[in-house]
Amino acid sequence: MEERMTESQIVALIESTIHAVNMDVELKQESTGVNMMYDFIKDEVIVDIARVRKACQELPEPMPLEIYLRVLTIHELGHAMDRKALLDSLDRTKEIIHMKKQAAAEMRSTDLPFMTMVMEEHETDIAFEETAWANAEILNSFFEIVDGASFEKVKVHSLATYRTVYEADLEIYNGFIRKQEKLLTI
């Protein structure tokens, strides 16, 4: 399929990938600003078609949109395979969202308890992402959805987006820890 795939072709490709791995997860189109995601509460994959087209172009090396969509789809299905763990994390996720809403914007990067919570959230997100990629790798090796090199390129790029934000916040967090250690030694 060509890079100029229509919306209906994109939807058909994602649905055919879901069926190719024998999973029964609904697909929904929505403008979320996120290329593709798994809603573990509703057990559905959500695709933002405009964003997924852009995201494919943001890869360090060009890749056909068809391949990119297939990799993202099995990644989101990797989350679906981990649905129980995601559901088990829901209460803590709600707590973190509530605390983040209550924190004053200007205090966020200067408050150690807040940054500790942010780091916990990052670490949880990264763990869920790594698990979804591991699950997707199993799906891909069993069903041979895409070639291994393409899979790896999308995986590395995707995980890097999470790690980049994590590392920036880790720098702030470590600064707090160093300040506290200095205060304790005075």
Side-chain angles (χ1 to χ4, degrees), residues 74 77-82 130-140:
I74 61 173
L77 295 174
H79 282 298
M81 292 168 67
D82 196 31
E130 289 172 344
T131 299
W133 280 111
N135 290 341
E137 201 160 0
I138 292 166
L139 287 174
N140 195 49

Side-chain angles (χ1 to χ4, degrees), residues 14-15 19 26 29 33 54 96 106 147 156-157 162 175:
I14 295 168
E15 287 176 338
H19 295 129
E26 292 295 316
Q29 288 183 67
K54 259 189 199 174
I96 291 172
E106 64 276 359
D147 66 280
V156 167
H157 183 260
Y162 285 88

Side-chain angles (χ1 to χ4, degrees), residues 8 33-34 61 68 113 157:
S8 61
V34 176
E61 296 176 41
Y68 183 67
H157 183 260

Side-chain angles (χ1 to χ4, degrees), residues 48-127:
D48 180 332
I49 292 183
R51 180 64 192 125
V52 83
R53 285 182 171 137
K54 259 189 199 174
C56 184
Q57 295 170 356
E58 294 168 0
L59 290 170
E61 296 176 41
M63 176 179 291
L65 182 57
E66 176 183 356
I67 302 286
Y68 183 67
L69 289 167
R70 289 188 189 281
V71 174
L72 282 186
T73 302
I74 61 173
H75 166 70
E76 297 309 331
L77 295 174
H79 282 298
M81 292 168 67
D82 196 31
R83 185 173 187 224
K84 182 181 178 341
L86 289 163
L87 287 168
D88 288 347
S89 74
L90 188 57
D91 288 340
R92 181 61 180 150
T93 300
K94 287 179 185 177
E95 284 177 37
I96 291 172
I97 290 169
H98 180 71
M99 288 186 279
K100 286 172 81 173
K101 284 181 180 178
Q102 288 188 331
E106 64 276 359
M107 295 292 292
R108 289 182 178 188
S109 62
T110 60
D111 182 57
L112 181 58
F114 180 81
M115 286 307 296
T116 301
M117 179 197 59
V118 168
M119 297 313 298
E120 175 191 344
E121 181 182 35
H122 282 309
E123 289 163 4
T124 301
D125 288 347
I126 289 170

